[in-house]
Amino acid sequence: MLLKRGAEAELRRTEWHGRPAVEKVRLPKAYRHERLDDEIRKARIRMEARLMSEARKLGISIPIIYDVDLRGRRLVMEYVDGPQVKEVLQKRLADPRVVARAIGRLAGTLHANGIVHGDLTTSNMLWRDGRIHVIDFSMGEKTSSLEAQGVDLRLLKEAWTSAHFDLQEMFESEVLAAYREAHAGADATIAKLGEIEERGRYT
């Protein structure tokens, strides 16, 4: 069953040896040379699986990967049955301060260990059993670049202020506070966030 079709991939409900699962298939791009497109899709599947595996080792809740199929350009992973964190915050399904601090901790933990998610929004986080499960590392990369981490924070802040405008003050007081606790280099990344925002005002 098709769950979602995006620009880069399709998500389908499936089963893996009797367990509920999600199949993510990287879609070909007609505008790219076939061989180049094939290599790009293979590399991105490999990188996504690597980032998910590393994040899990850091204690961050990530769907379990059941299969990495480079030939089929697909990942098969655990189906996490829970609402998006976006919905949890909007409908107050959990204490917003607890959720905000959990987001800050996971973002700080990723960045402290050289992982940039690439699309760090509350739509790419699921809530199950009182924990955040991070999904969709398809735009992620392994880097300690301040610029990349600042952009990651910028995306998170934009998503937070647009989807959770009634909780805007919590981005500073809870999300970034917890981010600082989890990441020794947080001040430099937050300064980079401010620099990126300043640049955006003049473009």
Side-chain angles (χ1 to χ4, degrees):
M1 179 179 72
L2 182 67
L3 291 175
K4 180 181 178 183
R5 182 183 176 92
E8 299 292 327
E10 282 185 353
L11 291 179
R12 305 171 187 145
R13 278 292 302 273
T14 185
E15 284 193 350
W16 182 258
H17 297 294
R19 288 174 286 188
V22 173
E23 178 185 65
K24 181 174 188 175
V25 181
R26 280 273 182 180
L27 302 171
K29 297 290 187 181
Y31 59 82
R32 288 196 292 241
H33 185 279
E34 186 176 347
R35 183 176 295 176
L36 174 62
D37 179 70
D38 197 50
E39 289 303 316
I40 288 173
R41 288 189 293 136
K42 185 192 295 184
R44 288 183 176 170
I45 283 287
R46 188 184 289 116
M47 176 58 73
E48 184 169 6
R50 176 189 172 192
L51 295 177
M52 290 175 70
S53 177
E54 291 192 17
R56 174 171 282 278
K57 289 175 183 175
L58 296 172
I60 295 171
S61 295
I62 305 290
I64 298 167
I65 296 175
Y66 296 143
D67 187 40
V68 181
D69 178 7
L70 294 179
R71 185 184 296 271
R73 310 298 182 257
R74 69 183 189 124
L75 288 175
V76 181
M77 66 197 94
E78 171 190 15
Y79 173 69
V80 178
D81 187 13
Q84 293 178 332
V85 167
K86 178 179 180 179
E87 181 184 352
V88 170
L89 288 167
Q90 290 175 339
K91 295 183 178 180
R92 300 296 193 270
L93 302 178
D95 184 338
R97 293 187 185 279
V98 170
V99 177
R101 292 193 69 81
I103 291 171
R105 281 194 302 275
L106 73 84
T109 300
L110 289 173
H111 289 176
N113 290 277
I115 298 174
V116 167
H117 183 276
D119 194 11
L120 199 58
T121 71
T122 52
S123 295
N124 281 330
M125 302 172 192
L126 303 176
W127 185 257
R128 185 178 72 181
D129 300 330
R131 292 176 64 88
I132 291 175
H133 296 251
V134 187
I135 60 172
D136 196 3
F137 282 77
S138 59
M139 302 299 289
E141 58 181 319
K142 185 72 175 170
T143 177
S144 294
S145 158
L146 275 180
E147 180 75 17
Q149 292 185 2
V151 169
D152 225 21
L153 274 188
R154 173 64 172 160
L155 286 169
L156 178 59
K157 185 175 181 180
E158 286 181 340
W160 183 277
T161 54
S162 62
H164 314 295
F165 55 88
D166 55 331
L167 301 172
Q168 283 191 51
E169 77 287 349
M170 284 192 192
F171 190 81
E172 294 283 343
S173 66
E174 306 297 338
V175 177
L176 291 186
Y179 181 84
R180 285 188 171 95
E181 292 170 6
H183 184 13
D187 287 344
T189 310
I190 292 169
K192 179 60 72 173
L193 164 63
E195 179 188 316
I196 291 167
E197 289 178 323
E198 281 298 313
R199 293 202 305 254
R201 292 190 179 98
Y202 297 101
T203 57

